[in-house]
């Protein structure tokens, strides 16, 4: 799931920078609904596969050859370190019955979150008319 969170947060941050106050307010009011929908999708995927996927991002230092330039001429080379990030995915065993129970709980919580998001959106439209 963490593989999806970072891009989602990045996209939201970029959108928030361009969004109107009303749009930001509506999006903030829908965070619980958005979270539940994401968890439902992940849990359904786990059930369909029969296992979960643990994602871990690890830093790794790689070295490149950089040129040393003096008076416009290459006078040598030196190692240039750069940190890159790799994501490792590892299958994790699950108890499908427990995942189904979790999925039912998430789906049961969704209508309430949708109602709260709709109520928050209505309040945002009142506070921040466009």
């Amino acid at each position: 799931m963490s593989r999806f969170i970072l891009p989602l947060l990045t996209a939201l941050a970029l959108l928030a920078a361009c969004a109107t106050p009303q749009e930001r307010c509506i999006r903030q009011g829908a965070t619980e609904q958005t979270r539940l929908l994401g968890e439902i999708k992940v849990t359904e995927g786990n059930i369909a596969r029969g296992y979960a996927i643990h994602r871990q991002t690890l830093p790794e230092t790689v070295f490149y050859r950089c040129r040393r330039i003096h008076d416009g001429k290459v006078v040598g080379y030196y190692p240039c370190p750069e940190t890159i990030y790799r994501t490792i995915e590892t299958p994790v065993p699950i108890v499908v019955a427990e995942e189904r129970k979790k999925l039912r709980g998430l789906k049961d919580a969704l209508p309430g979150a949708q109602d709260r998001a709709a109520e928050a959106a209505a309040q945002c439209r009142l506070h921040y008319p466009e």
Side-chain angles (χ1 to χ4, degrees), residues 82-102:
E82 181 180 330
T83 302
I84 61 171
Y85 295 89
R86 304 185 284 135
T87 300
I88 297 174
E89 295 183 349
T90 308
V92 178
I94 61 169
V95 177
V96 175
E98 289 296 318
E99 287 290 300
R100 286 193 176 114
K101 182 178 175 183
K102 175 182 170 182

Side-chain angles (χ1 to χ4, degrees), residues 39-95:
E39 286 189 39
I40 287 169
K41 184 176 179 180
V42 168
T43 305
E44 287 174 338
N46 291 348
I47 292 169
R49 279 187 309 274
Y51 60 90
I53 297 175
H54 173 74
R55 289 176 180 86
Q56 183 177 12
T57 302
L58 300 172
E60 181 178 323
T61 302
V62 293
F63 290 89
Y64 297 99
R65 278 182 52 175
C66 291
R67 296 181 293 175
R68 188 176 318 274
I69 299 176
H70 182 68
D71 292 332
K73 296 182 180 180
V74 177
V75 295
Y77 295 91
Y78 63 96
C80 302
E82 181 180 330
T83 302
I84 61 171
Y85 295 89
R86 304 185 284 135
T87 300
I88 297 174
E89 295 183 349
T90 308
V92 178
I94 61 169
V95 177

